[in-house]
Amino acid sequence: FIWIRTLPGRPRDELNVQDAVYLNEVMETIARGAMHIRFGDATSLQIGAESAVSLTNMSMACSNIRR
């Protein structure tokens, strides 16, 4: 599968397995593609073929943060 990412102010680029995702990044899938994103708080986001999603707001549980 090929996934595409666009970070603000940068050209479109390939998104690979294990890559970090960032606030305001747009992630896209191609025809017959899919994407499953797992966040650090164990929540996840799945998108199907020919889709795009932008992370405009992220709020995660912080109970596992060490101080």
Side-chain angles (χ1 to χ4, degrees), residues 26-67:
V26 176
M27 291 158 289
E28 302 174 62
T29 57
I30 61 171
R32 296 189 317 240
M35 185 182 304
H36 184 183
I37 301 166
R38 290 190 190 127
F39 297 100
D41 67 349
T43 59
S44 65
L45 171 66
Q46 296 182 47
I47 60 173
E50 296 182 294
S51 298
V53 65
S54 176
L55 300 176
T56 58
N57 185 4
M58 294 194 313
S59 177
M60 293 190 267
C62 296
S63 61
N64 61 348
I65 295 178
R66 297 179 187 184
R67 295 179 192 258

